[in-house]
Amino acid sequence: MSLKATITASRDFVIAPLDRRIFGTFVEHLGRCVYGGIYEPGHKTADENGFRQDVLDLTKELGVTIVRYPGGNFLSGYNWEDGVGPKDQRPVRLDLAWASTETNAFGTNEFMVWAKKAEVEPMFAVNLGTRGPDEARHFLEYCNHPGGTHYSDLRKSHGFPEPHNIKFWCLGNEMDGPWQICAKTAQEYGRIAQETAKVMRWVDDSGLELAACGSSQRAMPTYAAWEYEVLDTCFDQVDFISLHAYFRNDGSDINEFLGEVDNLDVYIKEIVAVADAVAAKRRSKKRIMLSFDEWNVWYKAHRPEDLKKPGWPEAPPLLEEIYNFEDALVVGGALIVLMNNADRVKTACLAQLVNVIGPIMTQTGGDAWRQTIFYPFADASRLGHGEVLRLKIDTTTFATKAHGEVPHLLATAIRDPETGAVGLMVLNRGQADMALDLDIGGLVGDSGESLTIASASELHDRDLKKANTQAEPNAIVPATNVTAKINGSRLTATLKPLSWNTFSLTLGNRR
Ligand code: AHR
């Protein structure tokens, strides 16, 4: 039996302009993300800074816009001072978060040079675990103050005369989690976040964007109460609340796994409600935005031996999730949900960038390749320019145990108001072909122009467990969807069962 879905799109129904920072990723001092990932002096592609060019090229191809650094759980025990200045004088430390030895060969300035080369904005974080407002203000002075003070002159002496001007700062990481170094109660954290934000804005009044930690995940026992109490304390000082989500799969039921995506939408809506409740209490028009600064599929490399190795190794292989085709479907679905919440989700970071639950994999000393999840992310970043449209979708549904009845079809459309070009991304969660019928009349209005299909692609394989590996890096790659066509005001296409699909439409003169 084949499935049917219709979508009606109009350029007049706009959810919000899409903040391109929704296509962020994350680089943590964890496993081989930094060492053997973005940084590997001596690698055959390494530049004069030790940055792997193959990873840099793939980062650009992925379309990453912002990168969070330096952690993660690592952050809560990190001394930023250890990672600056002459490398031979940097201390080697125990990293308690990942039971590893941290050489500090890579730090703030190396990251900023890398970020420039990768053409990404930095999203930095201050340690509110073992440290607090005092270090945060010094770190910010080091990074952003022009000169003439102790820490800004220290930066200059390290070879960086110009300030880094880092705008986006996370105030700690997952401070509600018992696994966090120096975890805190909501009351303790709310006050530290408030005072840290206050002094950071005094150091740099140029319009920093500050994100307070939300819950580590929706399943936390203090979920929602944490966000309420934290924001009730630091509402006036912060701009964002963070969200983290990792999708799990027990491998037995694809429907349950695909349904995880619907939970993401519920999660976002709940945090918006909590943030707005705090605003309502104050009769405030201010709206706290959402920074979904860690999200991904992660369930295979989650055994104790994947999280820590004995003997305090340097850059051990940790959290090295090998993504298969079904994981790419869930990542595609999550991207659709994030984009459809563009009115409140302004930044998001796929965690992480390379090797550690990453879309890019490397062999230390060897190749780099694209994991399956690379493709939906790259598609979304390539097509996600402009305003997200509120679509009317008619689709059949399927039943899940954990998420109830959910739609077979998930879709998002982004229209560039400058060019009239439209990017459409569609996930068929049904286990049969789906006849897609899209009414695009409202996308052109009365302009006398028409839309043409610049490209149509599909990501599909009958084997849900197939993965890209070093030996077979192209096992899962997108193909052209040859069924897509436009007839008058309708775009039709056949979507393969369990497939991720994209359509790029451009505006031209009506023939
Ligand atoms: O991304 C891996 C880890 O997951 C991060 O360090 C932490 O913030 C989260 O629990």
Side-chain angles (χ1 to χ4, degrees):
M1 192 196 76
S2 66
L3 302 164
K4 276 189 190 154
T6 59
I7 302 179
T8 309
S10 167
R11 63 183 187 178
D12 294 330
F13 298 117
V14 172
I15 294 174
L18 183 67
D19 192 322
R20 296 265 313 150
R21 295 178 301 176
I22 216 164
F23 305 119
T25 64
F26 179 25
V27 166
E28 176 169 5
H29 285 248
L30 195 185
R32 297 191 307 120
C33 188
V34 171
Y35 306 107
I38 63 172
Y39 178 75
E40 192 184 333
H43 187 269
K44 61 178 189 266
T45 72
D47 65 10
E48 68 286 3
N49 302 292
F51 303 149
R52 283 184 66 148
Q53 191 61 47
D54 53 355
V55 175
L56 259 174
D57 289 345
L58 287 172
T59 302
K60 287 186 197 163
E61 184 185 319
L62 187 61
V64 180
T65 54
I66 189 167
V67 178
R68 183 167 174 247
Y69 176 83
N73 295 343
F74 171 80
L75 171 74
S76 297
Y78 183 54
N79 298 332
W80 67 269
E81 303 91 331
D82 294 346
V84 295
K87 288 199 184 187
D88 58 358
Q89 290 168 30
R90 296 186 192 175
V92 174
R93 302 264 188 205
L94 295 181
D95 163 26
L96 302 188
W98 303 108
S100 303
T101 295
E102 173 57 54
T103 64
N104 284 303
F106 188 97
T108 296
N109 295 317
E110 287 79 22
F111 181 79
M112 288 306 297
V113 175
W114 179 85
K116 206 168 184 181
K117 291 199 168 209
E119 295 164 16
V120 299
E121 184 185 333
M123 175 190 281
F124 263 67
V126 292
N127 171 0
L128 297 187
T130 55
R131 310 193 86 184
D134 198 38
E135 290 79 13
R137 74 186 172 120
H138 293 155
F139 188 24
L140 184 60
E141 180 187 318
Y142 180 90
C143 290
N144 284 10
H145 197 68
T149 64
H150 176 76
Y151 286 107
S152 57
D153 286 346
L154 187 62
R155 181 198 67 240
K156 289 184 176 196
S157 76
H158 293 160
F160 294 85
E162 297 305 319
H164 292 314
N165 286 326
I166 299 165
K167 288 288 165 220
F168 199 107
W169 291 84
C170 306
L171 304 172
N173 176 69
E174 295 191 347
M175 297 309 304
D176 61 330
W179 58 86
Q180 201 66 216
I181 302 169
C182 300
K184 303 205 167 8
T185 64
Q187 197 182 21
E188 289 166 345
Y189 172 69
R191 280 289 294 136
I192 288 176
Q194 181 184 36
E195 293 304 316
T196 303
K198 191 174 86 183
V199 297
M200 286 178 77
R201 291 195 196 281
W202 286 346
V203 172
D204 180 344
D205 64 0
S206 69
L208 298 179
E209 292 181 278
L210 302 180
C213 292
S215 299
S216 308
Q217 50 177 289
R218 190 164 171 257
M220 294 301 285
T222 50
Y223 173 66
W226 169 278
E227 279 81 356
Y228 191 90
E229 192 165 350
V230 166
L231 284 178
D232 201 25
T233 310
C234 62
F235 183 87
D236 292 329
Q237 286 78 27
V238 304
D239 311 287
F240 286 83
I241 185 88
S242 76
L243 297 84
H244 291 181
Y246 290 104
F247 307 112
R248 298 294 178 93
N249 180 18
D250 69 9
S252 65
D253 188 342
I254 179 67
N255 283 346
E256 293 301 317
F257 188 33
L258 289 170
E260 287 283 299
V261 167
D262 298 80
N263 258 358
L264 180 65
D265 194 53
V266 174
Y267 183 9
I268 290 170
K269 303 275 189 316
E270 285 172 348
I271 297 304
V272 166
V274 172
D276 291 354
V278 177
K281 186 180 172 199
R282 291 166 162 71
R283 288 120 188 123
S284 170
K285 285 189 179 153
K286 174 174 173 177
R287 288 293 172 263
I288 297 288
M289 295 299 163
L290 273 46
S291 177
F292 219 121
D293 49 38
E294 282 185 38
W295 71 273
N296 205 342
V297 167
W298 176 21
Y299 57 94
K300 301 177 211 87
H302 213 287
R303 303 161 306 169
E305 60 268 35
D306 296 313
L307 305 183
K308 287 181 183 173
K309 304 271 190 242
W312 300 97
E314 270 179 39
L318 298 176
L319 283 64
E320 298 211 353
E321 188 93 350
I322 305 303
Y323 289 105
N324 59 29
F325 173 58
E326 63 186 351
D327 299 332
L329 295 176
V330 169
V331 164
L335 283 160
I336 289 175
V337 170
L338 290 170
M339 289 185 273
N340 284 343
N341 283 285
D343 53 336
R344 297 304 286 267
V345 179
K346 299 294 177 185
T347 63
C349 302
L350 181 75
Q352 298 191 359
L353 177 66
V354 50
N355 292 329
V356 175
I357 44 175
I360 301 169
M361 277 302 286
T362 73
Q363 185 193 37
T364 302
D367 299 340
W369 61 98
R370 302 164 191 81
Q371 295 235 51
T372 60
I373 62 169
F374 185 99
Y375 293 106
F377 189 100
D379 286 339
S381 182
R382 181 171 46 85
L383 296 174
H385 294 268
E387 298 172 334
V388 184
L389 303 179
R390 192 176 301 285
L391 302 175
K392 179 175 180 299
I393 301 179
D394 288 311
T395 169
T396 45
T397 58
F398 63 101
T400 66
K401 285 189 223 73
H403 320 287
E405 202 66 23
V406 300
H408 276 127
L409 180 110
L410 293 177
T412 190
I414 300 101
R415 179 176 179 275
D416 185 338
E418 301 289 315
T419 64
V422 177
L424 179 71
M425 283 152 271
V426 184
L427 183 68
N428 177 12
R429 295 194 289 185
Q431 304 199 13
D433 276 352
M434 178 182 280
L436 177 70
D437 180 356
L438 180 74
D439 183 346
I440 54 173
L443 294 176
V444 287
D446 299 325
S447 62
E449 293 175 299
S450 64
L451 286 167
T452 54
I453 300 173
S455 67
S457 76
E458 61 188 12
L459 194 67
H460 169 77
D461 200 281
R462 274 196 292 205
D463 181 359
L464 291 171
K465 308 293 180 193
K466 197 183 274 182
N468 292 341
T469 59
Q470 188 180 11
E472 240 194 305
N474 297 322
I476 299 287
V477 289
T480 300
N481 183 336
V482 292
T483 67
K485 54 178 181 286
I486 290 180
N487 197 348
S489 64
R490 306 203 84 86
L491 183 158
T492 56
T494 303
L495 310 182
K496 294 220 167 95
L498 299 173
S499 62
W500 162 260
N501 304 271
T502 74
F503 303 89
S504 166
L505 310 179
T506 50
L507 207 53
N509 285 329
R510 206 173 267 160
R511 275 172 291 186

